Amino acid sequence: MDKILEGLISSDHTVPVKRAIVKKVVEAAEKEVAEEECQALFTLTTRLILLGDDAFQKQVGYQVLEAYARYHRSDFECFFSKDFVVSLLQQGFDQLDRKDPAAIDYIHCCLRLLISCPSVLEIFSVIQVEVLRMVCERPDPALCARLSTMLSDFVQCIPRDKSGILFCQQLVRTISYFHCFASQEQELREYVGQVTKVSALLQNIWKADPATLLPSLQEVFAIISSTDPSFDPSIALASLVQHIPVQMITVLIKSLTTDQNVKDASMTKALCRMIDWLSWPLAQHVDTWVIALLKGLAAVQKFTILIDVTLLKIEMIIPHVVHLVQSLRTDGLPTSKAFLLQFTELIHCMMYQYSGFPDLYDPILEAIKELPKPGEEKIKLMLNQSAWTSQSNSFASGPLRHAGKSETGRTGLVNLGNTCYMNSIIQTLFMATDFRRHVLSLHLNGSDTLMKKLQMLFAFLAHTQRAAYAPRNFLEASRPPWFNMGAQQDCSEYLRFLLDRLHEEEKTLQVLESAKPKVTSPADTCSKETTAQTPSETGEESFLPPVESKQDDDRRTLIERTFGGRLITGIRCMHCNSISEKEEPFTDLSLAFCPSAASQDGLQSAGPSEEPKVLSQGSVNGGSEMPEPGSGKAPTSHVHFVPVTNEPPLTVPDLVNYFLAPEILDEENAYFCEKCSSLRRAEKTMKVVSAPEYLILTLLRFSYDAKCHIRRKILDNVTIPPLMRLPVHDPSMLSQCSSCTSSPLQVDSPESSENLAKKLKPSQRDEEEDENERIDGAEQINGGGDTPVQSVPYVLSSVVMHSGISSESGHYYSYGRNINGTDGTQHPANFFTLKESVKNGQAKCSLSACSAFSVPPEQGETHAISGQEARDWLLFNDSRVTFTSFQSVQNITNRFPKDTAYVLMYRKQELPGQNINRGLTANGMRLSAEPPLQKELLDAIIKDNKLYLQEQELNARTQALQAPSSSCSFRPNGSDDNNPPGSCGPSGGGGGGGGFNTISRLVF
């Protein structure tokens, strides 16, 4: 009979014919058959089942085997012995591998045929040993699923007692190795089905033998809490959670959270992986366990773990929020609307708590713009309901896992603990192309100056292969003495201190160099007056000559030549018309906000009802909107708030013009006229007489409310023009143009700072009269043929944004645009027209030439640059650097009211045939290309890049050992500040962005 069957299978007959003959063979099983013939048939059918070429052969094998085993059971017992089972499981069958699932299916079928035979008991005992061995070998999901099916049908094959506990533990660990590499839906369904069968087996074992449950759960926790970087457990473990009795949550969580042997790092890992389980398709009760564990950790005040886990996993939300909101709107479920409203509130809380990433939050705001937004008080209430605080940062000493550089190719700066104020300023200075190139071109080998550290920092920002560089050395060298380490600080104050230090350092080294007898070209001090009040460092031995030689008549420092300008402060006695003038230097202009017309009669009387755009943070200490470089405390500001009006939003030129407006000195602030020898009513004006190469503007947004004794932030939106003009006076012609009003701020003059906010905004009638006088005066001057005022064009280079409601809280980030070329002709901003104000290389002295104004683009030219601007602008947010657009810069405050421009940097454009201010072009200061790296810088960067590559290789080898994670994670760049509420982090932000970093932290 076996010969007939074998010949039939290999014949060319049609399938129907073969089926008919097979049917005859099966019917013949009822008859008497010799033992040898039965054994031959069992061998043939086993071969067909295990090694059959197609499904038909396997089907025939099962049909014939079942028929003859049923009618000839004793013969089948002899064939399917325990030795045969051991051989099949340990060695396979002929060409069939021992781990082939077909072997398990075959044994499963044979056990059903022998279930009533005594010999099956011996086979059960053999299988108990073999399945434990197989599970320890980590079978794949397909084999494990077939094994689970067999064991579920024949529980006698499951190991017992201690072996049973070990079997459950090993089966749990086997599940942790299940990883799905399929991409097709059918394959994914098969994978989930296989995992479900294995978890169902464990459920049956736990129910039958409760003693196996706790050891199994201990094994689960041991797996998910492992900090071994070479092992990444599968989220298939989530399939076990639904089988754990919910009644055990309280006991298990309490035991887990109070176990002293569980380290914080292990608990953090475990909780993160449990959160990953939420993505398992059939996960049930996972959220219940996660919430219970969070509450358990909070109950024992393990807030550090909670904060770290939140920061590591919060970023998983961002890429899916928009899709989730859309799904909740369209799924039609009755509970979706309520959940959507609650979810929207949580989103606003997140954006309030973690501000500064508008590029991430813009799509989310667009998706929820039609949903109700909770008020600020409600947001604060929600945030304070379950506030977690931590005194330590568990990642402070751990390795930062930096991903590769972003598509921008730019390098971020690691936040070293509320150092966003420094990072934003450094990136702004780095984006000042001329300044960066000249810092890199200085010969500073062997020196230990602050300029040397800045040069090294710039070199790393330009050439490191790291995604983010940690400026620890520069922070230690440049941090003002009164800045507390780890505390939030004012970026404008830091900028002034940094520039003063660099300026004084170079002056000191020039003096030391000039004192050397062998120096052929001694350098004198660079200016008659200096803005710095900080003591210079005279202990440094290196000297700082730039690559290019300075002209004999220009020994200004690099800071003066780059950022320095000069202004003349004039006071005219309105009784005798005598004028007193004083020329002073400046490095930035601090622009106050214009007081409202309603508050002209009493600037100190603005009440809360007149301040709808200003938020209060309560009583705070320190902070400064106009600090003195050498002082740890800031003078009280007299800046006031602008009530809501129907007027168009303020612009930067509006603030400059208000700054340039005349100031009336009267009453308690009357001027003592030496000619009159008495106090007189006087007019104070300040005129820019030397335009800086880079114009730094600081918007005075932080002020002290003397009535409420609190500091406030002015949240008014200020439009930032991409190109503006600054009136610069010829100092030799000032007496001929005394009616022209221009008064740039002298930032280092306490007098001008004190009186800045006391300027009165003229009435409409006064403005008309002043305008007529200015136009008449301009006509007279033009008629004389002289041009005492030049309208100097500036193009926007960088903007530092402050996100928050106080100078002591919130977050700083910056926008920057790389301006290339030796002059303005190569910059994209030159698409903006200058035709209307430039003729023969000189600007006509008109009304607009005596005040600042922005230059709008001509029609058609905006489209020409829009595509380029979309990638020219960069958003620097600590470690994170992304492309953005100028439109984002202009609309940021509209989108996120607490995110406001604070420090702006404009770069001067030289007009054809014009050389204003004996600027950098005259000295050959504008370099057309990046200077080559000096050997010392190059060696340091090469050394660090090699170290970085070694780190990457080590990470790559580690990753190769572990299977890819099936969880979804979004890891953009950016390491951000972490501080208690009111700092550069929690409770400090506006509606801006988030803090996403290279170690997946969402905090500032």
Side-chain angles (χ1 to χ4, degrees), residues 170-189:
Q170 292 299 320
L171 190 57
V172 167
R173 190 159 289 273
T174 296
I175 295 175
S176 70
Y177 283 87
F178 288 174
H179 290 287
C180 182
F181 305 100
S183 57
Q184 301 298 322
E185 181 180 355
Q186 183 60 33
E187 296 175 334
L188 293 173
R189 289 181 179 276

Side-chain angles (χ1 to χ4, degrees), residues 148-166:
S148 299
T149 302
M150 183 185 74
L151 295 180
S152 296
D153 289 345
F154 296 96
V155 294
Q156 303 91 331
C157 297
I158 299 175
R160 304 292 182 185
D161 302 325
K162 292 183 179 180
S163 296
I165 294 175
L166 181 60

Side-chain angles (χ1 to χ4, degrees), residues 265-533:
S266 298
M267 183 65 75
T268 301
K269 274 287 185 184
L271 189 50
C272 285
R273 284 166 174 158
M274 289 179 67
I275 293 173
D276 291 339
W277 289 354
L278 292 170
S279 62
W280 181 253
L282 303 179
Q284 296 182 17
H285 307 309
V286 174
D287 55 340
T288 304
W289 280 91
V290 170
I291 293 174
L293 185 53
L294 290 172
K295 290 182 177 179
L297 292 170
V300 295
Q301 297 186 352
K302 292 189 176 181
F303 298 131
T304 298
I305 298 176
L306 296 173
I307 292 173
D308 289 341
V309 171
T310 303
L311 300 179
L312 284 167
K313 290 302 177 183
I314 192 67
E315 64 189 30
M316 296 174 61
I317 298 174
I318 302 302
H320 307 290
V321 168
V322 174
H323 177 70
L324 178 59
V325 170
Q326 294 172 348
S327 299
L328 291 172
R329 281 181 165 179
T330 57
D331 62 9
L333 297 176
T335 57
S336 295
K337 183 176 181 180
F339 176 76
L340 182 58
L341 295 176
Q342 184 180 7
F343 184 56
T344 303
E345 289 182 347
L346 293 176
I347 291 174
H348 284 291
C349 288
M350 180 181 67
M351 292 190 296
Y352 183 91
Q353 181 118 338
Y354 304 109
S355 62
F357 279 85
D359 58 322
L360 295 178
Y361 288 166
D362 264 334
I364 299 177
L365 274 181
E366 186 66 26
I368 63 175
K369 64 181 180 181
E370 298 177 0
L371 297 171
K373 177 182 178 181
E376 184 176 357
E377 292 303 321
K378 184 175 182 180
I379 290 177
K380 289 182 177 179
L381 179 63
M382 295 177 66
L383 291 174
N384 290 330
Q385 283 177 348
S386 301
W388 296 335
T389 59
S390 172
Q391 299 300 321
S392 64
N393 181 358
S394 61
F395 289 92
S397 58
L400 300 181
R401 298 176 295 167
H402 291 299
K405 278 193 176 182
S406 67
E407 60 175 347
T408 65
R410 296 288 182 175
T411 303
L413 287 170
V414 177
N415 194 297
L416 303 175
N418 281 330
T419 57
C420 59
Y421 70 91
M422 178 188 71
N423 291 348
S424 59
I425 291 301
I426 290 175
Q427 294 287 16
T428 297
L429 293 176
F430 183 80
M431 296 304 287
T433 308
D434 301 311
F435 180 67
R436 176 185 72 244
R437 291 174 178 174
H438 283 278
V439 168
L440 292 174
S441 68
L442 296 173
H443 291 296
L444 306 172
N445 293 342
S447 70
D448 190 30
T449 59
L450 181 61
M451 181 65 79
K452 174 64 179 180
K453 291 180 172 60
L454 180 63
Q455 184 185 60
M456 184 67 72
L457 177 54
F458 278 3
F460 271 95
L461 285 177
H463 299 286
T464 184
Q465 294 181 9
R466 298 181 184 273
Y469 179 73
R472 291 185 178 86
N473 292 336
F474 191 78
L475 172 62
E476 294 175 1
S478 65
R479 182 171 58 89
W482 59 90
F483 275 20
N484 294 325
M485 197 65 179
Q488 176 63 293
Q489 305 295 345
D490 189 326
C491 75
S492 175
E493 184 177 3
Y494 173 77
L495 174 60
R496 292 191 186 100
F497 177 81
L498 176 61
L499 296 182
D500 288 339
R501 276 281 308 278
L502 294 172
H503 165 73
E504 283 297 311
E505 183 180 81
E506 184 174 354
K507 278 184 59 182
T508 301
L509 294 174
Q510 287 176 357
V511 172
L512 294 176
E513 185 66 18
S514 64
K516 293 182 179 181
K518 294 184 179 181
V519 174
T520 57
S521 264
D524 298 325
T525 56
C526 54
S527 65
K528 291 184 283 185
E529 297 184 35
T530 176
T531 62
Q533 298 179 11

